[in-house]
Amino acid sequence: MFHIIVHLTFKRLGLDVRSEVHSSTGRCDVLVFTEQFIFAIELKLNGTAPSALDQIFEKGYLRPYQLEDRKKIAIGISFSSEKRSVEEFLVKEVN
């Protein structure tokens, strides 16, 4: 449920958004491409934002884009099924 809301939000903004992007080490929940940025977003239901952010780096979701001039941003978001809302989020720029 939360995954589709995130995807559709970026899609309605007219951005290039891709879900469940496969790599050799796993799949990234959401990748968003703009002229200046590439965002890797990992979503966790009843998990933690740090674990979501760690997964982006451990699985190398932004590695295929390392030669791109655009800035790379990793975002980990955790949702609470009890509260039905975002519990926490973390953002880190990738160099």
Side-chain angles (χ1 to χ4, degrees):
M1 174 73 161
F2 294 110
H3 185 268
I4 193 68
I5 291 170
V6 170
H7 180 95
L8 289 175
T9 299
F10 288 113
K11 193 69 165 171
R12 291 285 293 150
L13 290 171
L15 298 174
D16 179 4
V17 59
R18 303 171 196 174
S19 290
E20 301 293 327
V21 178
H22 291 270
S23 71
S24 60
T25 56
R27 62 178 183 244
C28 184
D29 285 337
V30 180
L31 284 172
V32 180
F33 299 85
T34 71
E35 289 184 22
Q36 297 177 5
F37 298 95
I38 300 173
F39 298 94
I41 304 170
E42 188 63 27
L43 310 170
K44 296 291 182 192
L45 181 61
N46 300 323
T48 67
S51 69
L53 196 63
D54 288 345
Q55 183 174 332
I56 294 170
F57 293 105
E58 289 169 5
K59 302 285 185 172
Y61 294 153
L62 288 166
R63 199 172 303 134
Y65 311 101
Q66 65 189 1
L67 297 179
E68 293 257 357
D69 289 335
R70 295 180 270 188
K71 290 184 180 179
K72 278 65 115 192
I73 308 292
I75 304 172
I77 303 172
S78 68
F79 295 93
S80 168
S81 61
E82 184 179 314
K83 296 177 184 176
R84 302 183 73 185
S85 65
V86 172
E87 187 72 22
E88 63 179 334
F89 68 93
L90 292 172
V91 179
K92 184 171 183 179
E93 185 173 342
V94 179
N95 296 326

